[in-house]
Amino acid sequence: MTDLLLVAVVAAGVFMLAAIAQAVTGFGSALVAVPLLTLVVHPVTAVVAATAVSLVLTTGAAWRERDHLDAGTVRILTVAGIVGMPLGLVLLAVADESSLQGWIAGSMLVMVVLVAAGARIGSRGLPVAGLVSGALLTSTGMNGPPLVMALMDREPRRYRATLQAVFAAQDVVAVAAFAVLGYVDGRVALVSAAGVVGIPLGWRLGDAVFHRIPAARLRPLVVGGLVLTATSMLITAYS
């Protein structure tokens, strides 16, 4: 199997798993995808490709569930996220591969622990959650946890629909910024294309679970797996 074919096969499988996590918990596609992709591609490629695939995934989900989203909250979190994106782009530009991998793993661990602990952000904290999510999106591809903490108290369908709409809106801006800054190359395109192939089946499987089993029963398992992944990635980055 050639290197490019291996990367494509791995990417398709990774994004299928990422879509399952996204459908079940409302977030998690990048938390699953970025650390696993760094096993076969450069961290920058992983971040950019994960954001591009997330744009496809979340746009489709937001459109399907548009009747359940909170438009006012989407606007606040999106605008604040755009303001925070330049901070993440600076980090992406100046960090070397090992440092960036360590930052991704460390950020992932902190965010997953906060979500697992039930940390919440009130309505007054929406702009802060949006700002942090934007900075994390353009540096790690993982903008979900701050948004989850801001929205997790809402009715499940409203929570998931609003979250997907914010992801989609932020991803549009982030992908455009990556393209302008020259981060979109042939390998990013390959990983993204393979990822798009993997997400329909993943979302279908995850959506079936979402409607049949309470997310609270599955979230501890998802969080546990993500913690193990991040810990392994952190050890690899600094070994």
Coordinates of all heavy atoms in Angstrom, one line a residue, residues 106-164:
G106 N -2.3 18.8 25.0 CA -2.5 19.4 26.3 C -3.9 20.1 26.3 O -4.7 20.0 27.3
S107 N -4.2 20.9 25.2 CA -5.5 21.6 25.1 C -6.6 20.6 25.2 O -7.7 20.8 25.8 CB -5.5 22.4 23.8 OG -4.5 23.4 23.8
M108 N -6.4 19.5 24.5 CA -7.5 18.4 24.4 C -7.7 17.9 25.8 O -8.9 17.7 26.2 CB -7.0 17.3 23.4 CG -8.0 16.2 23.3 SD -7.4 15.0 22.1 CE -8.5 13.7 22.3
L109 N -6.7 17.6 26.5 CA -6.9 17.0 27.9 C -7.6 18.0 28.8 O -8.5 17.6 29.5 CB -5.5 16.7 28.5 CG -4.9 15.3 28.1 CD1 -3.5 15.3 28.7 CD2 -5.7 14.2 28.7
V110 N -7.2 19.2 28.8 CA -7.9 20.2 29.6 C -9.3 20.4 29.3 O -10.2 20.4 30.1 CB -7.2 21.6 29.5 CG1 -8.0 22.7 30.2 CG2 -5.8 21.5 30.1
M111 N -9.6 20.5 28.0 CA -11.0 20.6 27.5 C -11.9 19.4 27.8 O -13.0 19.6 28.3 CB -11.1 21.0 26.0 CG -10.4 22.4 25.7 SD -10.6 22.8 24.0 CE -9.6 21.6 23.2
V112 N -11.3 18.2 27.6 CA -12.1 17.0 27.9 C -12.4 16.9 29.4 O -13.5 16.5 29.8 CB -11.4 15.8 27.3 CG1 -12.0 14.5 27.8 CG2 -11.4 15.8 25.8
V113 N -11.4 17.2 30.2 CA -11.6 17.1 31.6 C -12.7 18.1 32.1 O -13.5 17.8 32.9 CB -10.3 17.4 32.4 CG1 -10.5 17.7 33.9 CG2 -9.3 16.3 32.2
L114 N -12.7 19.3 31.5 CA -13.7 20.3 31.9 C -15.1 19.9 31.5 O -16.0 20.0 32.2 CB -13.4 21.7 31.2 CG -12.2 22.5 31.8 CD1 -11.9 23.7 30.9 CD2 -12.5 22.9 33.2
V115 N -15.2 19.3 30.3 CA -16.5 18.8 29.8 C -16.9 17.6 30.7 O -18.1 17.5 31.1 CB -16.4 18.4 28.4 CG1 -17.7 17.6 28.0 CG2 -16.2 19.6 27.5
A116 N -16.0 16.7 31.0 CA -16.3 15.5 31.8 C -16.7 16.0 33.2 O -17.6 15.3 33.9 CB -15.1 14.6 31.9
A117 N -16.2 17.0 33.7 CA -16.5 17.5 35.1 C -17.8 18.3 35.1 O -18.3 18.7 36.2 CB -15.4 18.4 35.6
G118 N -18.4 18.5 33.9 CA -19.7 19.2 33.9 C -19.6 20.7 34.0 O -20.5 21.4 34.4
A119 N -18.4 21.3 33.6 CA -18.2 22.7 33.6 C -19.2 23.4 32.7 O -19.5 22.9 31.6 CB -16.8 23.1 33.2
R120 N -19.8 24.5 33.2 CA -20.8 25.2 32.4 C -20.5 26.7 32.3 O -19.9 27.2 33.2 CB -22.2 25.0 33.0 CG -22.7 23.6 32.7 CD -23.8 23.2 33.6 NE -24.5 22.0 33.2 CZ -24.0 20.8 33.3 NH1 -22.8 20.6 33.8 NH2 -24.7 19.7 32.9
I121 N -21.0 27.3 31.2 CA -20.8 28.8 31.0 C -22.2 29.4 30.9 O -23.0 28.9 30.0 CB -20.0 29.0 29.8 CG1 -18.6 28.5 30.0 CG2 -19.9 30.6 29.5 CD1 -17.7 28.5 28.7
G122 N -22.5 30.4 31.7 CA -23.8 31.0 31.6 C -23.9 31.9 30.3 O -23.0 32.0 29.6
S123 N -25.1 32.5 30.1 CA -25.4 33.3 29.0 C -24.4 34.5 28.9 O -24.1 34.9 27.8 CB -26.8 33.8 29.0 OG -27.1 34.5 30.1
R124 N -24.0 35.0 30.0 CA -23.1 36.1 30.0 C -21.7 35.7 29.5 O -20.9 36.6 29.1 CB -23.0 36.7 31.4 CG -24.3 37.4 31.9 CD -24.1 38.0 33.3 NE -25.3 38.7 33.8 CZ -25.4 39.3 35.0 NH1 -24.4 39.3 35.8 NH2 -26.6 39.8 35.3
G125 N -21.4 34.5 29.6 CA -20.1 34.0 29.2 C -20.0 33.6 27.8 O -19.0 33.1 27.3
L126 N -21.1 33.7 27.0 CA -21.1 33.3 25.6 C -20.0 33.9 24.8 O -19.4 33.2 24.0 CB -22.5 33.6 25.0 CG -23.7 32.7 25.4 CD1 -25.0 33.1 24.7 CD2 -23.4 31.2 25.1
P127 N -19.8 35.3 24.9 CA -18.7 35.9 24.1 C -17.4 35.3 24.4 O -16.5 35.1 23.5 CB -18.8 37.4 24.5 CG -20.2 37.6 24.9 CD -20.6 36.3 25.6
V128 N -17.1 35.0 25.7 CA -15.8 34.4 26.1 C -15.7 33.0 25.5 O -14.6 32.6 25.0 CB -15.7 34.4 27.6 CG1 -14.4 33.6 28.0 CG2 -15.7 35.8 28.2
A129 N -16.8 32.2 25.6 CA -16.7 30.9 25.0 C -16.5 30.9 23.5 O -15.7 30.1 23.0 CB -18.1 30.2 25.3
G130 N -17.1 31.9 22.9 CA -16.9 32.0 21.4 C -15.4 32.4 21.1 O -14.8 31.9 20.2
L131 N -14.9 33.4 21.9 CA -13.5 33.8 21.7 C -12.5 32.7 21.8 O -11.7 32.5 21.0 CB -13.2 34.9 22.7 CG -11.9 35.6 22.5 CD1 -11.9 36.6 21.3 CD2 -11.5 36.4 23.8
V132 N -12.7 31.9 22.9 CA -11.8 30.8 23.1 C -11.9 29.8 22.0 O -10.9 29.2 21.6 CB -12.0 30.2 24.5 CG1 -11.2 28.9 24.7 CG2 -11.7 31.2 25.6
S133 N -13.1 29.5 21.7 CA -13.4 28.5 20.6 C -12.7 28.9 19.3 O -12.2 28.0 18.6 CB -14.9 28.2 20.4 OG -15.5 29.3 19.8
G134 N -12.8 30.1 19.0 CA -12.2 30.6 17.7 C -10.7 30.4 17.7 O -10.0 30.0 16.7
A135 N -10.0 30.8 18.9 CA -8.6 30.6 19.0 C -8.2 29.2 18.9 O -7.1 28.8 18.3 CB -8.1 31.3 20.3
L136 N -8.9 28.3 19.6 CA -8.6 26.9 19.5 C -8.9 26.3 18.2 O -8.1 25.4 17.7 CB -9.5 26.2 20.6 CG -9.1 26.4 22.0 CD1 -10.2 25.8 23.0 CD2 -7.8 25.8 22.4
L137 N -9.9 26.8 17.5 CA -10.2 26.2 16.1 C -9.0 26.4 15.2 O -8.6 25.5 14.5 CB -11.4 26.9 15.6 CG -11.8 26.5 14.1 CD1 -12.0 25.0 14.0 CD2 -13.0 27.3 13.6
T138 N -8.4 27.6 15.1 CA -7.4 27.9 14.1 C -6.0 27.4 14.6 O -5.0 27.4 13.8 CB -7.3 29.4 13.8 OG1 -7.3 30.1 15.0 CG2 -8.5 29.8 13.0
S139 N -5.9 27.0 15.9 CA -4.6 26.4 16.3 C -4.6 24.9 16.5 O -3.6 24.3 16.3 CB -4.2 27.1 17.7 OG -5.1 26.9 18.7
T140 N -5.7 24.4 16.9 CA -5.8 22.9 17.1 C -6.9 22.2 16.3 O -6.9 21.0 16.3 CB -6.1 22.6 18.6 OG1 -7.4 23.1 18.9 CG2 -5.1 23.4 19.5
G141 N -7.8 23.0 15.7 CA -9.0 22.4 15.1 C -10.1 21.9 16.0 O -11.1 21.4 15.6
M142 N -9.9 22.1 17.3 CA -10.8 21.6 18.3 C -11.5 22.7 19.1 O -11.1 23.2 20.1 CB -10.0 20.7 19.3 CG -9.4 19.5 18.6 SD -8.5 18.4 19.7 CE -7.1 19.4 20.1
N143 N -12.6 23.3 18.5 CA -13.3 24.4 19.1 C -14.5 24.0 19.9 O -15.2 24.8 20.5 CB -13.7 25.4 18.1 CG -14.6 24.8 17.0 OD1 -14.5 23.6 16.7 ND2 -15.4 25.6 16.3
G144 N -14.8 22.6 20.0 CA -16.0 22.2 20.6 C -16.2 22.4 22.1 O -17.3 22.9 22.5
P145 N -15.3 22.0 23.0 CA -15.6 22.0 24.4 C -16.0 23.4 25.0 O -17.0 23.4 25.8 CB -14.2 21.6 25.0 CG -13.7 20.6 24.0 CD -14.0 21.2 22.7
P146 N -15.4 24.5 24.6 CA -16.0 25.8 25.2 C -17.4 26.0 24.8 O -18.2 26.5 25.5 CB -15.0 26.8 24.6 CG -13.8 26.1 24.2 CD -14.2 24.8 23.8
L147 N -17.8 25.6 23.5 CA -19.1 25.8 23.0 C -20.1 24.8 23.7 O -21.2 25.1 24.1 CB -19.2 25.6 21.5 CG -18.3 26.5 20.7 CD1 -18.3 26.1 19.2 CD2 -18.7 28.0 20.9
V148 N -19.6 23.6 24.0 CA -20.4 22.6 24.7 C -20.7 23.1 26.1 O -21.9 23.0 26.6 CB -19.6 21.2 24.8 CG1 -20.4 20.3 25.7 CG2 -19.5 20.6 23.4
M149 N -19.7 23.7 26.8 CA -19.9 24.2 28.1 C -20.9 25.3 28.1 O -21.7 25.5 29.1 CB -18.6 24.6 28.7 CG -17.7 23.5 29.1 SD -16.2 24.0 30.0 CE -15.2 24.5 28.6
A150 N -21.0 26.0 27.0 CA -22.0 27.1 26.9 C -23.4 26.7 26.6 O -24.4 27.4 26.9 CB -21.5 28.1 25.9
L151 N -23.5 25.5 26.0 CA -24.8 25.1 25.5 C -25.4 23.8 26.1 O -26.6 23.5 25.8 CB -24.7 24.9 23.9 CG -24.3 26.1 23.1 CD1 -24.1 25.7 21.7 CD2 -25.3 27.2 23.2
M152 N -24.6 23.1 26.9 CA -25.0 21.8 27.3 C -26.3 21.7 28.2 O -26.9 20.7 28.3 CB -23.9 21.1 28.0 CG -23.5 21.7 29.3 SD -21.9 21.0 30.0 CE -21.7 19.4 29.2
D153 N -26.7 22.8 28.7 CA -27.9 22.8 29.6 C -29.2 22.9 28.8 O -30.3 22.8 29.3 CB -27.9 24.0 30.6 CG -26.9 23.8 31.7 OD1 -26.7 22.6 32.0 OD2 -26.4 24.8 32.2
R154 N -29.1 23.0 27.4 CA -30.3 23.2 26.6 C -30.9 21.8 26.2 O -30.2 20.8 26.4 CB -30.0 24.0 25.4 CG -29.3 25.3 25.7 CD -29.1 26.2 24.6 NE -28.5 27.5 25.1 CZ -28.5 28.6 24.5 NH1 -29.2 28.8 23.4 NH2 -27.9 29.7 25.0
E155 N -32.1 21.8 25.8 CA -32.8 20.6 25.3 C -31.9 19.9 24.3 O -31.3 20.6 23.4 CB -34.2 21.0 24.8 CG -35.0 19.8 24.4 CD -34.8 19.4 22.9 OE1 -34.4 20.2 22.1 OE2 -34.9 18.2 22.7
P156 N -31.8 18.6 24.3 CA -30.8 17.9 23.4 C -30.9 18.2 22.0 O -29.8 18.5 21.4 CB -31.2 16.4 23.7 CG -31.7 16.4 25.0 CD -32.5 17.6 25.2
R157 N -32.0 18.3 21.4 CA -32.1 18.6 19.9 C -31.7 20.1 19.7 O -31.0 20.4 18.7 CB -33.5 18.4 19.4 CG -34.0 17.0 19.2 CD -33.2 16.2 18.2 NE -33.3 16.7 16.9 CZ -34.3 16.3 16.0 NH1 -35.2 15.5 16.4 NH2 -34.4 16.8 14.8
R158 N -32.1 21.0 20.6 CA -31.7 22.4 20.4 C -30.2 22.6 20.7 O -29.5 23.3 20.0 CB -32.5 23.2 21.4 CG -32.4 24.7 21.2 CD -33.4 25.4 22.1 NE -33.6 26.8 21.7 CZ -34.4 27.3 20.7 NH1 -35.0 26.4 20.0 NH2 -34.5 28.6 20.5
Y159 N -29.7 21.8 21.6 CA -28.2 21.9 21.9 C -27.4 21.4 20.7 O -26.5 22.1 20.2 CB -28.0 20.9 23.1 CG -26.6 20.3 23.2 CD1 -25.5 21.1 23.6 CD2 -26.4 19.0 22.8 CE1 -24.2 20.5 23.7 CE2 -25.1 18.4 22.8 CZ -24.1 19.2 23.3 OH -22.8 18.6 23.3
R160 N -27.8 20.3 20.1 CA -27.0 19.7 19.0 C -27.2 20.6 17.8 O -26.2 20.8 17.1 CB -27.5 18.3 18.7 CG -26.5 17.6 17.7 CD -26.8 16.1 17.5 NE -28.0 15.9 16.8 CZ -28.3 14.7 16.2 NH1 -27.4 13.7 16.3 NH2 -29.4 14.5 15.5
A161 N -28.4 21.1 17.5 CA -28.6 21.9 16.3 C -27.8 23.2 16.4 O -27.2 23.6 15.4 CB -30.1 22.1 16.1
T162 N -27.9 23.9 17.5 CA -27.2 25.1 17.7 C -25.7 25.0 17.6 O -25.0 25.8 17.0 CB -27.6 25.8 19.0 OG1 -29.0 26.0 19.1 CG2 -26.9 27.1 19.2
L163 N -25.2 23.9 18.2 CA -23.8 23.6 18.2 C -23.3 23.4 16.7 O -22.2 23.9 16.3 CB -23.5 22.4 19.0 CG -22.1 22.1 19.6 CD1 -21.6 23.3 20.3 CD2 -22.1 20.9 20.5
Q164 N -24.0 22.6 15.9 CA -23.6 22.4 14.5 C -23.6 23.7 13.7 O -22.7 23.9 12.9 CB -24.6 21.4 13.9 CG -24.7 20.0 14.6 CD -23.4 19.5 15.2 OE1 -22.5 19.2 14.4 NE2 -23.3 19.3 16.5

